[in-house]
Amino acid sequence: MDLERILKSIELGEQDRVQRDLNTYNQENAQCFFFNVEERERRKRLGQALIQFLAQDLQPCCLLSCLETIRILSRDRLALGPFSSEEGVRTLARLAGIQSADREVARGGGEDVTVSRTEAVKALCNVVYNSQGAQEQACRLRLLSGLAGRLKLSAESRSPPAGQFYDLRLIFLLTALRPELRCQLAREERGVSLLTDVLERALCVRWGDSYEVLTDRLVPPLSQEDSQLAIEILKILFNITCNIHKASVDEEEAALYRHLAAMLRHCLLVNCEGEEQREELQGHTVNVLSLLPLSCLDVLLAVRVGPGSAEYMGINMDCVEALLGFMERRLDRGEKLREKLTPVLNLLTESSRAHRETRRYLRSQVLPPLRDVLSRPEVGSTLRNKLVRLMTHVDTDVKHCAAELLFVLCKENVSRFVKYTGYGNAAGLLAARGLLAGSRGGGGEGQYSEDSDSDTEEYREARSRINPVTGRVEEQQPDPLEGLSEEEKEEEARRLVSMLNRLARDQIIEPVGVMEDGRLAPLGGRRRNCTPDTLREEPEEGDGESERDSD
């Protein structure tokens, strides 16, 4: 469709002709996301003409065609001038029913009005996403207040209005792109409470006792529309809770976060129509859970044990089991581990440190009594093997989170940690914590019970033959110095020291040792000569003490 012809139709003001020409253009470009650079100026002129044309009293069908065209044109971030101006944003907000300047919210309207409002919000989403100028105009016009007001109306009504998904999408974009709007939504609009209410209505939850959502896994799965609505709400909740001071919440805030945590537990357990949809819902749920105060996560366990529930020590572990399964699926996929895996690793670590029952259940699943003493800890398909493999991952955050979880499951006990992971895998975390000297505790904040014996028969029999570095029983290797005289052995030792000195002088390596505080430190500068005394090994931690663990 020739853009000049559309511009001529708009100039003449014949609505039927404008609608016909725009419908043709919309059909031709419905799936267009890359535009001809040569026609960019014409598209800008068309956009400006449409904004001015929308100031008239248009027929519903013509209005809808104009808004559909604006939505298509707003995909070109280099031609957004007409839409990102104050006039453009104000016009689209008015047609979207967002009367934000006086904090009034448009009510009512038939189906045509609802469809047009939804189309206007879609266009605003594109414009705000692609234009910083439009974001600034949205802040000045206080669009977020109007959107929050409309959410309040929907929360009070019996059923959410059509098009609420795009209202939520616009709120997500505004809070993601403008940090000041996160504070506005959280404080002025009481965003956590508001969004929790909207989430509750979207999922049609039923409440049992205090902070307990009744999750019936036999009911039909959540529809794709409802799960997408829930995901959008969770994304906004993540934006506005990312600055929570976890250690300083008052009684009112704690009640609010416990109520939200109970809803998030339901999100973890509810079934969705598709497995990918359920995975996405769980991922965003984990992101929000990881931001809540740990003291408020006790509601995840404070649920009665029912038929089919995962039970441990008389406590309902459905939520922890769901988190564990989610973590293993993310582990197996191995994609974008920092973004997709570290949140659930951190959540399980902190929950284990704060809640003894969670740690004991996780340990029974991740670190059962050690029986396989012939394989390296990182070799195999168990959860322990998978997590130990991550301890040498190239991404520092990933390997730290995996090591930290295992360390907490070992009650921050160095000898137990080395037992399950091998000293070679454990060295990174031990060095960072200053525990290379072999002190038993990690100085962590977790409250751990006294130890009790839990070694298996297989481990006790092979304990003296296990190589602490690799974490397994190694085959007997021939002595490389066998058959050499004492003089030849001394010559080999001198050659070794000479080679180490050369590497140190060329700054290829730096000799270090374990200091009294358990941390690594240089042994005296890069050019200091190595001597047999400086290469003396630290005494190994004794294996004679029986390890005990009540978990």
Side-chain angles (χ1 to χ4, degrees), residues 75-132:
R75 296 170 183 167
D76 183 2
R77 64 178 59 205
L78 297 179
L80 289 177
F83 310 131
S84 59
S85 65
E86 181 178 352
E87 179 188 12
V89 174
R90 189 184 294 275
T91 298
L92 291 174
R94 173 178 60 81
L95 294 172
I98 310 171
Q99 302 297 330
S100 56
D102 53 6
R103 296 180 63 83
E104 293 180 0
V105 182
R107 301 167 180 259
E111 183 178 351
D112 290 339
V113 174
T114 300
V115 173
S116 296
R117 285 178 179 173
T118 301
E119 199 64 36
V121 176
K122 289 180 183 179
L124 272 173
C125 287
N126 284 351
V127 174
V128 167
Y129 178 71
N130 287 316
S131 169
Q132 185 175 353

Short mmCIF file of all heavy atoms in Angstrom, two decimals, residues 75-132:
data_model
loop_
_atom_site.label_atom_id
_atom_site.label_comp_id
_atom_site.label_asym_id
_atom_site.label_seq_id
_atom_site.Cartn_x
_atom_site.Cartn_y
_atom_site.Cartn_z
N ARG A 75 6.84 -0.28 15.87
CA ARG A 75 7.91 -1.28 15.94
C ARG A 75 9.24 -0.72 15.43
O ARG A 75 10.30 -1.29 15.73
CB ARG A 75 7.52 -2.49 15.10
CG ARG A 75 6.30 -3.24 15.61
CD ARG A 75 5.84 -4.27 14.59
NE ARG A 75 4.62 -4.97 14.99
CZ ARG A 75 3.88 -5.71 14.19
NH1 ARG A 75 4.26 -5.88 12.91
NH2 ARG A 75 2.79 -6.32 14.62
N ASP A 76 9.20 0.35 14.66
CA ASP A 76 10.42 0.96 14.13
C ASP A 76 10.91 2.01 15.12
O ASP A 76 10.37 3.12 15.19
CB ASP A 76 10.14 1.59 12.77
CG ASP A 76 11.39 2.17 12.13
OD1 ASP A 76 12.48 2.05 12.73
OD2 ASP A 76 11.28 2.74 11.02
N ARG A 77 11.92 1.69 15.89
CA ARG A 77 12.38 2.57 16.95
C ARG A 77 13.01 3.85 16.43
O ARG A 77 13.21 4.81 17.19
CB ARG A 77 13.35 1.85 17.86
CG ARG A 77 14.66 1.42 17.21
CD ARG A 77 15.57 0.75 18.23
NE ARG A 77 14.92 -0.41 18.83
CZ ARG A 77 15.24 -0.89 20.03
NH1 ARG A 77 16.18 -0.30 20.75
NH2 ARG A 77 14.62 -1.95 20.50
N LEU A 78 13.33 3.90 15.13
CA LEU A 78 13.94 5.11 14.55
C LEU A 78 12.89 6.02 13.92
O LEU A 78 13.25 7.04 13.33
CB LEU A 78 14.98 4.71 13.51
CG LEU A 78 16.17 3.92 14.05
CD1 LEU A 78 17.15 3.56 12.93
CD2 LEU A 78 16.90 4.69 15.15
N ALA A 79 11.63 5.67 14.03
CA ALA A 79 10.56 6.51 13.47
C ALA A 79 9.47 6.76 14.49
O ALA A 79 8.28 6.83 14.17
CB ALA A 79 9.98 5.84 12.22
N LEU A 80 9.88 6.91 15.78
CA LEU A 80 8.91 7.02 16.86
C LEU A 80 8.61 8.46 17.27
O LEU A 80 7.85 8.67 18.23
CB LEU A 80 9.41 6.25 18.08
CG LEU A 80 9.41 4.73 17.97
CD1 LEU A 80 10.01 4.11 19.23
CD2 LEU A 80 7.99 4.21 17.78
N GLY A 81 9.19 9.42 16.59
CA GLY A 81 9.01 10.81 16.99
C GLY A 81 7.57 11.21 17.24
O GLY A 81 7.25 11.78 18.29
N PRO A 82 6.64 10.94 16.32
CA PRO A 82 5.25 11.36 16.53
C PRO A 82 4.58 10.70 17.73
O PRO A 82 3.68 11.28 18.34
CB PRO A 82 4.57 10.94 15.22
CG PRO A 82 5.66 10.81 14.22
CD PRO A 82 6.85 10.33 15.00
N PHE A 83 5.01 9.50 18.07
CA PHE A 83 4.34 8.75 19.15
C PHE A 83 5.00 8.97 20.51
O PHE A 83 4.35 8.80 21.54
CB PHE A 83 4.35 7.25 18.83
CG PHE A 83 3.87 6.91 17.45
CD1 PHE A 83 4.60 6.07 16.64
CD2 PHE A 83 2.70 7.46 16.97
CE1 PHE A 83 4.16 5.76 15.37
CE2 PHE A 83 2.25 7.16 15.69
CZ PHE A 83 2.99 6.31 14.89
N SER A 84 6.27 9.35 20.53
CA SER A 84 6.98 9.53 21.80
C SER A 84 6.91 10.96 22.32
O SER A 84 7.40 11.24 23.41
CB SER A 84 8.44 9.11 21.65
OG SER A 84 9.09 9.88 20.66
N SER A 85 6.30 11.86 21.55
CA SER A 85 6.12 13.23 22.01
C SER A 85 5.03 13.27 23.07
O SER A 85 4.29 12.31 23.28
CB SER A 85 5.74 14.13 20.83
OG SER A 85 4.47 13.73 20.31
N GLU A 86 4.92 14.42 23.74
CA GLU A 86 3.87 14.54 24.77
C GLU A 86 2.49 14.37 24.15
O GLU A 86 1.62 13.69 24.72
CB GLU A 86 3.96 15.91 25.45
CG GLU A 86 2.91 16.09 26.54
CD GLU A 86 3.02 17.43 27.25
OE1 GLU A 86 4.00 18.15 27.01
OE2 GLU A 86 2.12 17.73 28.06
N GLU A 87 2.28 14.96 22.97
CA GLU A 87 0.99 14.83 22.29
C GLU A 87 0.69 13.36 21.96
O GLU A 87 -0.43 12.88 22.16
CB GLU A 87 0.97 15.66 21.00
CG GLU A 87 -0.34 15.57 20.23
CD GLU A 87 -0.26 16.25 18.87
OE1 GLU A 87 0.86 16.60 18.43
OE2 GLU A 87 -1.33 16.41 18.23
N GLY A 88 1.72 12.66 21.44
CA GLY A 88 1.50 11.28 21.05
C GLY A 88 1.20 10.38 22.23
O GLY A 88 0.25 9.59 22.20
N VAL A 89 2.00 10.48 23.31
CA VAL A 89 1.78 9.64 24.48
C VAL A 89 0.45 9.98 25.15
O VAL A 89 -0.31 9.10 25.57
CB VAL A 89 2.95 9.79 25.48
CG1 VAL A 89 2.65 9.04 26.78
CG2 VAL A 89 4.25 9.28 24.86
N ARG A 90 0.13 11.27 25.23
CA ARG A 90 -1.14 11.67 25.85
C ARG A 90 -2.33 11.15 25.06
O ARG A 90 -3.32 10.68 25.63
CB ARG A 90 -1.21 13.20 25.97
CG ARG A 90 -2.38 13.68 26.80
CD ARG A 90 -2.43 15.21 26.80
NE ARG A 90 -1.30 15.79 27.47
CZ ARG A 90 -1.24 15.99 28.79
NH1 ARG A 90 -2.24 15.59 29.57
NH2 ARG A 90 -0.18 16.54 29.33
N THR A 91 -2.24 11.22 23.72
CA THR A 91 -3.33 10.74 22.88
C THR A 91 -3.54 9.24 23.05
O THR A 91 -4.68 8.76 23.21
CB THR A 91 -3.04 11.06 21.40
OG1 THR A 91 -2.95 12.48 21.23
CG2 THR A 91 -4.15 10.52 20.50
N LEU A 92 -2.46 8.48 23.02
CA LEU A 92 -2.58 7.03 23.18
C LEU A 92 -3.08 6.68 24.58
O LEU A 92 -3.88 5.74 24.74
CB LEU A 92 -1.23 6.37 22.91
CG LEU A 92 -0.74 6.40 21.46
CD1 LEU A 92 0.67 5.84 21.35
CD2 LEU A 92 -1.68 5.61 20.56
N ALA A 93 -2.63 7.41 25.60
CA ALA A 93 -3.09 7.13 26.96
C ALA A 93 -4.59 7.43 27.08
O ALA A 93 -5.33 6.67 27.74
CB ALA A 93 -2.30 7.98 27.95
N ARG A 94 -5.05 8.50 26.45
CA ARG A 94 -6.48 8.82 26.49
C ARG A 94 -7.30 7.72 25.83
O ARG A 94 -8.31 7.26 26.38
CB ARG A 94 -6.74 10.16 25.79
CG ARG A 94 -8.21 10.52 25.63
CD ARG A 94 -8.37 11.87 24.97
NE ARG A 94 -7.77 11.91 23.65
CZ ARG A 94 -8.37 11.45 22.54
NH1 ARG A 94 -9.57 10.88 22.61
NH2 ARG A 94 -7.76 11.55 21.36
N LEU A 95 -6.85 7.25 24.68
CA LEU A 95 -7.58 6.21 23.98
C LEU A 95 -7.48 4.86 24.69
O LEU A 95 -8.33 3.99 24.51
CB LEU A 95 -7.05 6.08 22.55
CG LEU A 95 -7.31 7.33 21.68
CD1 LEU A 95 -6.59 7.20 20.34
CD2 LEU A 95 -8.81 7.51 21.45
N ALA A 96 -6.43 4.69 25.50
CA ALA A 96 -6.29 3.47 26.30
C ALA A 96 -7.13 3.52 27.57
O ALA A 96 -7.19 2.54 28.31
CB ALA A 96 -4.83 3.25 26.66
N GLY A 97 -7.75 4.67 27.83
CA GLY A 97 -8.57 4.80 29.03
C GLY A 97 -7.77 5.07 30.27
O GLY A 97 -8.24 4.86 31.39
N ILE A 98 -6.53 5.56 30.11
CA ILE A 98 -5.67 5.83 31.25
C ILE A 98 -5.69 7.33 31.50
O ILE A 98 -4.87 8.07 30.93
CB ILE A 98 -4.23 5.35 31.01
CG1 ILE A 98 -4.23 3.91 30.52
CG2 ILE A 98 -3.40 5.49 32.27
CD1 ILE A 98 -2.87 3.42 30.06
N GLN A 99 -6.63 7.81 32.28
CA GLN A 99 -6.72 9.23 32.61
C GLN A 99 -5.88 9.47 33.86
O GLN A 99 -6.39 9.46 34.98
CB GLN A 99 -8.18 9.63 32.82
CG GLN A 99 -9.07 9.36 31.63
CD GLN A 99 -8.67 10.16 30.42
OE1 GLN A 99 -8.15 11.27 30.54
NE2 GLN A 99 -8.90 9.62 29.23
N SER A 100 -4.57 9.62 33.65
CA SER A 100 -3.65 9.59 34.79
C SER A 100 -3.39 10.95 35.42
O SER A 100 -3.04 11.02 36.59
CB SER A 100 -2.31 9.01 34.34
OG SER A 100 -1.81 9.75 33.25
N ALA A 101 -3.56 12.03 34.66
CA ALA A 101 -3.18 13.33 35.20
C ALA A 101 -3.99 13.70 36.44
O ALA A 101 -3.49 14.24 37.41
CB ALA A 101 -3.32 14.41 34.14
N ASP A 102 -5.31 13.40 36.42
CA ASP A 102 -6.15 13.70 37.57
C ASP A 102 -6.47 12.45 38.37
O ASP A 102 -7.40 12.45 39.20
CB ASP A 102 -7.45 14.37 37.13
CG ASP A 102 -8.17 13.56 36.04
OD1 ASP A 102 -7.70 12.44 35.75
OD2 ASP A 102 -9.19 14.05 35.52
N ARG A 103 -5.73 11.36 38.10
CA ARG A 103 -5.85 10.11 38.83
C ARG A 103 -7.24 9.51 38.73
O ARG A 103 -7.69 8.79 39.60
CB ARG A 103 -5.46 10.29 40.31
CG ARG A 103 -4.02 10.67 40.50
CD ARG A 103 -3.67 10.83 41.96
NE ARG A 103 -3.82 9.57 42.68
CZ ARG A 103 -2.89 8.63 42.71
NH1 ARG A 103 -1.76 8.80 42.08
NH2 ARG A 103 -3.10 7.51 43.41
N GLU A 104 -7.94 9.79 37.63
CA GLU A 104 -9.21 9.14 37.39
C GLU A 104 -8.99 7.99 36.44
O GLU A 104 -8.12 8.02 35.59
CB GLU A 104 -10.23 10.11 36.78
CG GLU A 104 -10.65 11.23 37.74
CD GLU A 104 -11.65 12.15 37.10
OE1 GLU A 104 -12.00 11.91 35.92
OE2 GLU A 104 -12.08 13.11 37.76
N VAL A 105 -9.83 6.99 36.55
CA VAL A 105 -9.70 5.82 35.70
C VAL A 105 -10.98 5.66 34.90
O VAL A 105 -12.08 5.67 35.46
CB VAL A 105 -9.46 4.54 36.54
CG1 VAL A 105 -9.30 3.34 35.64
CG2 VAL A 105 -8.23 4.72 37.41
N ALA A 106 -10.85 5.54 33.60
CA ALA A 106 -12.03 5.40 32.75
C ALA A 106 -12.75 4.10 33.05
O ALA A 106 -12.14 3.06 33.23
CB ALA A 106 -11.60 5.44 31.28
N ARG A 107 -14.08 4.19 33.12
CA ARG A 107 -14.88 3.03 33.44
C ARG A 107 -15.81 2.71 32.28
O ARG A 107 -16.11 3.55 31.44
CB ARG A 107 -15.71 3.26 34.71
CG ARG A 107 -14.89 3.58 35.95
CD ARG A 107 -15.79 4.09 37.05
NE ARG A 107 -15.04 4.41 38.26
CZ ARG A 107 -14.97 3.63 39.32
NH1 ARG A 107 -15.59 2.47 39.34
NH2 ARG A 107 -14.29 4.00 40.39
N GLY A 108 -16.34 1.50 32.30
CA GLY A 108 -17.40 1.14 31.38
C GLY A 108 -16.95 1.05 29.94
O GLY A 108 -15.76 1.03 29.62
N GLY A 109 -17.94 1.04 29.03
CA GLY A 109 -17.63 0.94 27.61
C GLY A 109 -18.02 -0.41 27.06
O GLY A 109 -17.94 -1.42 27.76
N GLY A 110 -18.45 -0.44 25.79
CA GLY A 110 -18.83 -1.69 25.17
C GLY A 110 -17.63 -2.45 24.65
O GLY A 110 -16.48 -2.12 24.92
N GLU A 111 -17.94 -3.48 23.85
CA GLU A 111 -16.86 -4.33 23.34
C GLU A 111 -15.94 -3.57 22.41
O GLU A 111 -14.71 -3.76 22.45
CB GLU A 111 -17.49 -5.52 22.61
CG GLU A 111 -16.46 -6.52 22.09
CD GLU A 111 -17.11 -7.71 21.42
OE1 GLU A 111 -18.35 -7.83 21.51
OE2 GLU A 111 -16.38 -8.49 20.81
N ASP A 112 -16.51 -2.69 21.57
CA ASP A 112 -15.66 -1.91 20.65
C ASP A 112 -14.68 -1.04 21.42
O ASP A 112 -13.50 -0.92 21.05
CB ASP A 112 -16.54 -1.03 19.75
CG ASP A 112 -17.34 -1.84 18.75
OD1 ASP A 112 -16.93 -2.99 18.48
OD2 ASP A 112 -18.36 -1.34 18.25
N VAL A 113 -15.16 -0.42 22.51
CA VAL A 113 -14.28 0.44 23.31
C VAL A 113 -13.17 -0.39 23.95
O VAL A 113 -12.01 0.01 23.98
CB VAL A 113 -15.11 1.18 24.38
CG1 VAL A 113 -14.18 1.96 25.31
CG2 VAL A 113 -16.12 2.11 23.72
N THR A 114 -13.54 -1.57 24.44
CA THR A 114 -12.55 -2.44 25.09
C THR A 114 -11.46 -2.85 24.11
O THR A 114 -10.27 -2.84 24.43
CB THR A 114 -13.24 -3.69 25.66
OG1 THR A 114 -14.21 -3.29 26.62
CG2 THR A 114 -12.22 -4.61 26.32
N VAL A 115 -11.87 -3.23 22.88
CA VAL A 115 -10.89 -3.64 21.88
C VAL A 115 -9.97 -2.47 21.52
O VAL A 115 -8.75 -2.63 21.39
CB VAL A 115 -11.60 -4.19 20.63
CG1 VAL A 115 -10.59 -4.46 19.52
CG2 VAL A 115 -12.36 -5.46 20.97
N SER A 116 -10.53 -1.29 21.37
CA SER A 116 -9.72 -0.12 21.02
C SER A 116 -8.76 0.23 22.14
O SER A 116 -7.59 0.57 21.89
CB SER A 116 -10.63 1.08 20.72
OG SER A 116 -11.42 0.83 19.58
N ARG A 117 -9.23 0.14 23.39
CA ARG A 117 -8.35 0.42 24.52
C ARG A 117 -7.18 -0.56 24.55
O ARG A 117 -6.04 -0.18 24.80
CB ARG A 117 -9.14 0.34 25.83
CG ARG A 117 -10.05 1.53 26.07
CD ARG A 117 -10.83 1.33 27.35
NE ARG A 117 -11.69 2.47 27.61
CZ ARG A 117 -12.58 2.51 28.58
NH1 ARG A 117 -12.72 1.47 29.41
NH2 ARG A 117 -13.35 3.57 28.75
N THR A 118 -7.48 -1.83 24.32
CA THR A 118 -6.42 -2.84 24.32
C THR A 118 -5.40 -2.55 23.22
O THR A 118 -4.19 -2.65 23.44
CB THR A 118 -7.01 -4.24 24.12
OG1 THR A 118 -7.95 -4.50 25.16
CG2 THR A 118 -5.93 -5.30 24.13
N GLU A 119 -5.88 -2.16 22.05
CA GLU A 119 -4.97 -1.85 20.94
C GLU A 119 -4.11 -0.64 21.27
O GLU A 119 -2.92 -0.59 20.94
CB GLU A 119 -5.79 -1.61 19.66
CG GLU A 119 -4.99 -1.72 18.39
CD GLU A 119 -4.45 -3.12 18.15
OE1 GLU A 119 -5.13 -4.10 18.50
OE2 GLU A 119 -3.31 -3.23 17.62
N ALA A 120 -4.69 0.36 21.95
CA ALA A 120 -3.93 1.55 22.33
C ALA A 120 -2.85 1.19 23.35
O ALA A 120 -1.72 1.71 23.29
CB ALA A 120 -4.86 2.61 22.89
N VAL A 121 -3.16 0.29 24.30
CA VAL A 121 -2.16 -0.13 25.29
C VAL A 121 -1.04 -0.91 24.61
O VAL A 121 0.14 -0.76 24.95
CB VAL A 121 -2.81 -0.97 26.41
CG1 VAL A 121 -1.76 -1.47 27.38
CG2 VAL A 121 -3.86 -0.16 27.16
N LYS A 122 -1.37 -1.74 23.63
CA LYS A 122 -0.34 -2.47 22.88
C LYS A 122 0.62 -1.49 22.21
O LYS A 122 1.85 -1.67 22.25
CB LYS A 122 -0.99 -3.35 21.82
CG LYS A 122 -1.73 -4.56 22.34
CD LYS A 122 -2.31 -5.35 21.16
CE LYS A 122 -3.13 -6.54 21.61
NZ LYS A 122 -3.71 -7.28 20.46
N ALA A 123 0.05 -0.44 21.59
CA ALA A 123 0.90 0.56 20.94
C ALA A 123 1.78 1.27 21.97
O ALA A 123 2.97 1.51 21.74
CB ALA A 123 0.04 1.57 20.19
N LEU A 124 1.21 1.58 23.14
CA LEU A 124 2.00 2.23 24.19
C LEU A 124 3.14 1.33 24.65
O LEU A 124 4.24 1.81 24.94
CB LEU A 124 1.10 2.58 25.38
CG LEU A 124 0.39 3.93 25.33
CD1 LEU A 124 -0.59 4.05 26.49
CD2 LEU A 124 1.39 5.08 25.35
N CYS A 125 2.89 0.04 24.73
CA CYS A 125 3.95 -0.90 25.13
C CYS A 125 5.12 -0.81 24.15
O CYS A 125 6.30 -0.75 24.57
CB CYS A 125 3.41 -2.33 25.17
SG CYS A 125 2.32 -2.67 26.56
N ASN A 126 4.82 -0.81 22.85
CA ASN A 126 5.89 -0.71 21.85
C ASN A 126 6.65 0.60 21.98
O ASN A 126 7.88 0.64 21.93
CB ASN A 126 5.30 -0.83 20.44
CG ASN A 126 4.93 -2.25 20.07
OD1 ASN A 126 5.25 -3.19 20.79
ND2 ASN A 126 4.25 -2.42 18.96
N VAL A 127 5.89 1.70 22.13
CA VAL A 127 6.51 3.02 22.16
C VAL A 127 7.39 3.16 23.41
O VAL A 127 8.53 3.64 23.34
CB VAL A 127 5.43 4.11 22.12
CG1 VAL A 127 6.06 5.49 22.30
CG2 VAL A 127 4.67 4.06 20.80
N VAL A 128 6.88 2.75 24.57
CA VAL A 128 7.65 2.87 25.81
C VAL A 128 8.89 1.99 25.76
O VAL A 128 9.97 2.38 26.20
CB VAL A 128 6.76 2.49 27.02
CG1 VAL A 128 7.60 2.30 28.27
CG2 VAL A 128 5.72 3.58 27.24
N TYR A 129 8.76 0.79 25.20
CA TYR A 129 9.90 -0.11 25.12
C TYR A 129 11.01 0.44 24.22
O TYR A 129 12.19 0.31 24.52
CB TYR A 129 9.44 -1.47 24.61
CG TYR A 129 10.56 -2.47 24.43
CD1 TYR A 129 11.20 -3.04 25.53
CD2 TYR A 129 10.99 -2.84 23.16
CE1 TYR A 129 12.23 -3.96 25.37
CE2 TYR A 129 12.02 -3.75 22.99
CZ TYR A 129 12.63 -4.30 24.10
OH TYR A 129 13.66 -5.20 23.93
N ASN A 130 10.61 1.08 23.14
CA ASN A 130 11.59 1.50 22.12
C ASN A 130 12.07 2.94 22.27
O ASN A 130 13.00 3.34 21.58
CB ASN A 130 10.98 1.34 20.72
CG ASN A 130 10.89 -0.11 20.30
OD1 ASN A 130 11.82 -0.88 20.50
ND2 ASN A 130 9.76 -0.50 19.72
N SER A 131 11.46 3.73 23.15
CA SER A 131 11.81 5.15 23.20
C SER A 131 11.99 5.64 24.62
O SER A 131 11.07 5.56 25.45
CB SER A 131 10.70 5.98 22.52
OG SER A 131 10.88 7.36 22.77
N GLN A 132 13.18 6.16 24.91
CA GLN A 132 13.44 6.75 26.23
C GLN A 132 12.62 8.02 26.41
O GLN A 132 12.16 8.31 27.51
CB GLN A 132 14.93 7.05 26.38
CG GLN A 132 15.30 7.57 27.76
CD GLN A 132 16.80 7.74 27.93
OE1 GLN A 132 17.58 7.36 27.06
NE2 GLN A 132 17.20 8.32 29.05
#
